[in-house]
Amino acid sequence: MPGIDKLPIEETLEDSPQTRSLLGVFEEDTEAISSYFSQLFKAMHRIYDAQNELSAATHLTSKLLKDYEKQRFPLGGDDEVMSSTLQQFAKVIDELSSCHAVLSTQLADAMMFPITQFQERDLREIVILKEVFQIASDDHDSAITRYSRLSKRKENEKVKNEVMEDVYTSRKKQHETIMHYFASLNMLQYKKKMALLEPLLGYMQAQISFFKLGSENLTQQWEEFLTNIGTSVQNVRREMDHDAEATEQMIQDLKAASDPLYMPDPDPNKIPVNRNLTRKTGYLNTRYKTGLVSSSWERQYFFTQGGNLMSQSRGAVAGGLVLDIDNCSVMAVDCEDRRFCFQITAFDGKKAVILQAESRKDCEEWIATINNISKRIYLSENPEEIAARVNQSALEAVTPSPSFQQRHESFRPSTQSRPKACRSGSQCSAGSESPALSSLSLDSLVAPDTPIQFDIISPVSEEHSSQAKSGAQGRRTNPFGESGGSKSEESEDSILHQLYIVRFLGCMEVKATESADVISETMRQILAARAIHNIFRMTESHLLVTCECLKLIDPQTQVTRLKFPLSSVVLCASHQENKRLFGFVLKTTGGREDGRHLTVCYVFESNNDGEKICDSVGLAKQIALHSEMDRKSTQKQRELDKAKEKQQEELQKQKQIEKDLEEQSRLIAASSRPGQPAADGQFLVLSNSQSEDSDAGEEGLKKGESEA
């Protein structure tokens, strides 16, 4: 005979929609069996009733034939031949009536008893177990609903313990009930065959024994077949007994192994978190918005299929698509005072879903699985092995730091250096994981063992804290090159002023600045670190883009948190898939003790398109470049004008000197004629001193002419 279809008892604890769908098939089959056997029972009961009626009718006929001679007919009542003939018929019919009575007894024992027992005992047991299972399932759903609504406040510990005990009891009761229900449904497949074959076998054997005297050939023809049928029934019975023993042993083993799983939040030390999964299934609570501020939660069965997240209601035949989780982002969140919540955001940032797991272990496994699928590890030949290597590398390379000052003092030099512009141009393009990124070594983009800063530390507050520790110590330079000292005076009439709302994701030191791949790799490592270490809080700021600098401003106090000179920004790019993510690379001098350049990549998430912010930064750098060129051109023109004015002054001085020399020459020439009288008739007599002055005047005249 062909194999028996069975329900998987080992999957009863998970109680997945696939198992429920398969259970529905078995229940539908049970209803069909019940309907069919009800009709078959009626037909066989009619045979049994007909046989009893035939036996009673035959006996009555025999009695009537025997009483024929006692009858007093008006005509021909004394017919002895007829009486003796009828007596012979009565004897034969009486013997035949005895045979029919035996046949009726055999039909009752061999045909009616098995089918009656199957219908009244086995099918009735299935109906009762179904009702008990439905009640246990409803109790478990109610307990899970109360457990999901538990608050995180500590004053609810007593209620929490009561609810968890209720979940444990209801889940255990449901598990035991469904295991027995599945076992009964599996046994029903065996009993169905026996309930079909045994009544037919009993009917045929009774009929053969009834007709055995007059149908030897018929008996010989059917004996071998009936013997084979009897042997098959015995084999099925032995197989049923063996399977019943194995099923009972499996139920006992599953009870012992599943006892720790009845608790909704098991101890992570006993059941560790598996972060190498590329497929995950289980029940989650999903959040639906019912209004502007109101929402509702619904418990559904979720599973991953390739790069898609699917959900399936308990009564549904197949699952539906919830979200495409290729290149998505996932992180733990706080939502409506519920525990173990996480949010999945699509690659384009337009769709996000919030889900709630039953336990911390389940929540972390879902986050790790979705992260592995987001990296498309499931497309490889050995996805779990590759996921293990990637997670191990991430754990070794990533160290979360809630306070960068406390853990990484070695990266902070004691002297302050001014930022130096590395490049005048800025590459503002949509950056993502390009095909060439796979061929590049990660060490060429990001320094190994590089710490990640997840929060914004104001350089001014750090300076005050360092001065409080040591008054004689000079103010140190911020490790990422932001100028935290005296602010340079900015022009209030800057051409470009654009403000964006951003959330700081993290920053880390990088090595390469020639390609936008370094920003994509930094985004990947920061998002992976946040997911691995459940860091979901982000600092919101206002990013002000001007022609002189980039500012991060506190939206509440309007205090400048960080300030980046625009000349130090060497690269700016957004993520190719998730356009809300963008980052820029800042390059400064003197950020290290040895005076080498310090290059840091900052990553943000915005409410707007990241490409627009990168375009604004590129426009600001272009405006700053043109302004610098105009300033230099104006300064050069001023220097030329000053040189011309100075040259004119020199020429005026030379002309004045020439006039003075001509006047002196005329006076000297007039004084060189001694016999010439003066205008008043007197002679002019030169003294020795005047002669010396005239000689000096001649020498000065010659010198002036030579200079001219």
Side-chain angles (χ1 to χ4, degrees):
M1 287 188 178
I4 302 297
D5 295 326
K6 298 179 183 179
L7 284 168
I9 299 178
E10 61 275 8
E11 296 180 6
T12 53
L13 179 59
E14 185 178 6
D15 193 19
S16 64
Q18 289 83 1
T19 307
R20 286 296 183 99
S21 298
L22 187 59
L23 175 61
V25 175
F26 274 72
E27 290 177 347
E28 184 179 357
D29 182 72
T30 303
E31 293 177 359
I33 291 173
S34 179
S35 176
Y36 175 79
F37 273 83
S38 178
Q39 299 176 8
L40 184 62
F41 175 80
K42 292 180 180 179
M44 290 187 173
H45 202 276
R46 289 182 63 184
I47 294 175
Y48 175 68
D49 292 340
Q51 183 62 43
N52 289 334
E53 184 67 20
L54 179 60
S55 177
T58 306
H59 179 70
L60 181 59
T61 302
S62 175
K63 182 180 179 182
L64 290 174
L65 290 176
K66 289 179 180 180
D67 292 343
Y68 179 79
E69 62 182 3
K70 297 178 182 180
Q71 300 297 325
R72 295 293 182 259
F73 296 102
L75 297 174
D78 296 331
D79 192 357
E80 297 293 332
V81 177
M82 181 62 67
S83 296
S84 64
T85 303
L86 292 179
Q87 289 296 324
Q88 292 295 328
F89 275 106
K91 184 178 180 180
V92 173
I93 293 174
D94 191 28
E95 292 178 357
L96 186 60
S97 175
S98 300
C99 293
H100 279 293
V102 174
L103 178 60
S104 298
T105 305
Q106 291 179 350
L107 290 178
D109 296 338
M111 183 180 71
M112 295 307 300
F113 178 77
I115 193 171
T116 303
Q117 190 179 28
F118 174 77
Q119 189 170 13
E120 295 181 359
R121 186 188 66 182
D122 299 328
L123 293 180
R124 181 62 181 170
E125 180 185 5
I126 295 296
V127 174
I128 295 174
L129 286 176
K130 181 179 179 180
E131 294 175 355
V132 174
F133 164 69
Q134 190 62 40
I135 295 173
S137 180
D138 294 340
D139 294 341
H140 176 255
D141 292 342
S142 301
I144 286 295
T145 302
R146 291 194 300 272
Y147 172 76
S148 301
R149 294 175 180 173
L150 283 178
S151 175
K152 296 188 293 184
R153 295 190 295 268
K154 292 185 177 179
E155 56 266 18
N156 293 331
E157 288 296 322
K158 182 177 179 180
V159 178
K160 175 183 175 183
N161 293 332
E162 293 177 357
V163 172
M164 292 180 68
E165 185 66 22
D166 191 12
V167 172
Y168 172 84
T169 304
S170 61
R171 183 169 291 178
K172 183 176 182 180
K173 180 180 178 182
Q174 182 194 18
H175 188 207
E176 294 178 356
T177 304
I178 196 173
M179 283 193 297
H180 290 292
Y181 185 34
F182 278 23
S184 298
L185 288 175
N186 291 338
M187 294 300 105
L188 184 64
Q189 302 302 313
Y190 296 103
K191 296 177 180 178
K192 174 184 68 175
K193 295 185 177 182
M194 292 188 299
L196 278 173
L197 297 177
E198 286 183 350
L200 296 177
L201 180 62
Y203 174 77
M204 294 303 298
Q205 287 178 345
Q207 293 293 338
I208 289 174
S209 63
F210 176 75
F211 296 105
K212 190 172 183 180
L213 295 176
S215 56
E216 293 294 336
N217 295 331
L218 182 62
T219 304
Q220 293 177 358
Q221 181 180 356
W222 285 90
E223 273 186 355
E224 184 177 358
F225 172 74
L226 297 178
T227 302
N228 294 334
I229 295 298
T231 304
S232 299
V233 171
Q234 295 300 323
N235 292 335
V236 171
R237 184 177 295 278
R238 285 195 296 268
E239 185 178 353
M240 184 192 70
D241 295 339
H242 177 72
D243 198 353
E245 294 178 0
T247 301
E248 185 63 26
Q249 183 63 35
M250 180 185 294
I251 290 175
Q252 297 300 328
D253 295 341
L254 289 176
K255 282 183 179 179
S258 302
D259 190 74
L261 302 178
Y262 293 145
M263 294 299 294
D265 191 8
D267 188 0
N269 296 325
K270 298 180 180 178
I271 307 177
V273 178
N274 187 2
R275 303 184 184 276
N276 305 328
L277 299 175
T278 55
R279 290 186 297 176
K280 178 74 175 170
T281 61
Y283 279 98
L284 297 173
N285 292 330
T286 179
R287 179 173 176 263
Y288 292 100
K289 284 192 175 181
T290 57
L292 294 177
V293 295
S294 60
S295 61
S296 63
W297 294 81
E298 181 180 353
R299 190 168 184 260
Q300 291 185 357
Y301 185 82
F302 286 80
F303 60 94
T304 60
Q305 187 175 31
N308 298 325
L309 179 64
M310 313 289 288
S311 69
Q312 185 175 358
S313 301
R314 179 166 292 181
V317 179
L321 177 64
V322 177
L323 192 67
D324 182 5
I325 53 179
D326 276 342
N327 298 321
C328 72
S329 61
V330 58
M331 64 179 64
V333 294
D334 283 334
C335 185
E336 298 182 1
D337 197 24
R338 290 202 174 209
R339 304 173 301 163
F340 316 134
C341 294
F342 60 96
Q343 176 176 322
I344 308 173
T345 306
F347 66 94
D348 55 0
K350 296 181 180 179
K351 184 177 181 181
V353 293
I354 297 178
L355 304 173
Q356 181 191 16
E358 288 188 0
S359 62
R360 185 179 302 277
K361 169 185 174 296
D362 202 17
C363 179
E364 293 181 3
E365 285 187 351
W366 272 106
I367 292 176
T369 303
I370 294 173
N371 269 324
N372 295 334
I373 296 176
S374 176
K375 300 171 186 175
R376 299 191 176 184
I377 298 177
Y378 66 93
L379 297 176
S380 57
E381 295 182 358
N382 298 318
E384 293 189 359
E385 181 180 352
I386 295 177
R389 292 204 304 266
V390 170
N391 290 329
Q392 184 65 27
S393 301
L395 288 173
E396 293 177 355
V398 178
T399 303
S401 175
S403 177
F404 197 80
Q405 178 184 4
Q406 297 176 1
R407 297 193 179 188
H408 305 286
E409 292 289 344
S410 60
F411 285 92
R412 305 185 179 192
S414 59
T415 59
Q416 180 181 6
S417 60
R418 298 180 61 186
K420 177 181 178 181
C422 298
R423 288 193 292 182
S424 60
S426 174
Q427 180 178 355
C428 297
S429 61
S432 68
E433 296 183 2
S434 62
L437 180 60
S438 59
S439 61
L440 294 175
S441 174
L442 296 181
D443 293 341
S444 63
L445 299 176
V446 180
D449 299 331
T450 303
I452 296 178
Q453 178 178 341
F454 292 108
D455 56 353
I456 297 178
I457 302 176
S458 175
V460 178
S461 62
E462 291 181 1
E463 173 194 353
H464 292 336
S465 62
S466 62
Q467 288 179 355
K469 292 180 180 179
S470 175
Q473 182 180 1
R475 192 179 68 174
R476 64 174 181 79
T477 303
N478 189 275
F480 293 102
E482 304 93 346
S483 58
S486 61
K487 300 182 180 180
S488 61
E489 296 295 333
E490 298 183 13
S491 60
E492 296 296 335
D493 55 349
S494 178
I495 299 177
L496 183 66
H497 277 85
Q498 292 188 351
L499 192 67
Y500 302 96
I501 298 176
V502 297
R503 288 171 291 279
F504 181 69
L505 294 177
C507 61
M508 62 186 300
E509 184 181 357
V510 296
K511 298 174 67 176
T513 59
E514 292 78 11
S515 173
D517 294 334
V518 64
I519 298 181
S520 300
E521 178 60 25
T522 304
M523 290 179 180
R524 188 191 67 79
Q525 291 202 19
I526 290 176
L527 292 178
R530 280 181 169 269
I532 290 174
H533 299 282
N534 294 331
I535 301 175
F536 53 86
R537 301 187 64 179
M538 296 180 289
T539 304
E540 184 172 290
S541 303
H542 289 172
L543 177 64
L544 178 62
V545 181
T546 65
C547 299
E548 291 81 13
C549 63
L550 303 179
K551 281 186 178 182
L552 285 179
I553 303 174
D554 191 336
Q556 301 295 332
T557 62
Q558 299 300 317
V559 175
T560 300
R561 290 172 172 169
L562 293 177
K563 178 181 176 183
F564 310 103
L566 195 61
S567 58
S568 301
V569 180
V570 297
L571 190 64
C572 182
S574 63
H575 199 278
Q576 185 178 11
E577 304 296 339
N578 190 353
K579 298 299 183 181
R580 297 172 61 186
L581 298 179
F582 74 97
F584 56 82
V585 178
L586 189 73
K587 190 171 184 180
T588 59
T589 57
R592 299 178 181 272
E593 295 181 356
D594 54 3
R596 290 186 296 147
H597 291 290
L598 181 66
T599 307
V600 182
C601 181
Y602 290 80
V603 178
F604 297 88
E605 181 187 23
S606 67
N607 295 338
N608 309 96
D609 194 347
E611 291 185 357
K612 294 182 180 179
I613 300 178
C614 294
D615 293 340
S616 299
V617 176
L619 179 61
K621 291 186 71 68
Q622 291 181 5
I623 294 174
L625 177 62
H626 290 299
S627 300
E628 183 67 18
M629 293 176 62
D630 293 341
R631 187 187 64 79
K632 290 183 179 180
S633 177
T634 303
Q635 184 178 2
K636 185 176 181 181
Q637 186 64 33
R638 290 178 180 176
E639 291 178 355
L640 290 176
D641 293 341
K642 289 182 180 180
K644 288 181 180 180
E645 292 178 359
K646 188 175 181 180
Q647 187 177 3
Q648 292 293 336
E649 291 178 358
E650 292 293 335
L651 290 176
Q652 293 293 336
K653 289 181 181 180
Q654 292 295 334
K655 289 180 180 180
Q656 186 65 32
I657 291 174
E658 290 179 357
K659 289 182 180 180
D660 294 340
L661 290 176
E662 290 179 358
E663 183 66 25
Q664 290 180 3
S665 299
R666 188 179 62 78
L667 293 175
I668 292 172
S671 62
S672 62
R673 295 192 295 271
Q676 185 177 359
D680 54 358
Q682 297 179 357
F683 292 95
L684 181 62
V685 180
L686 298 175
S687 63
N688 293 331
S689 60
Q690 291 176 343
S691 299
E692 292 176 359
D693 292 339
S694 63
D695 294 337
E698 293 178 356
E699 292 178 359
L701 178 62
K702 293 180 180 180
K703 185 176 180 181
E705 292 177 352
S706 63
E707 289 179 357

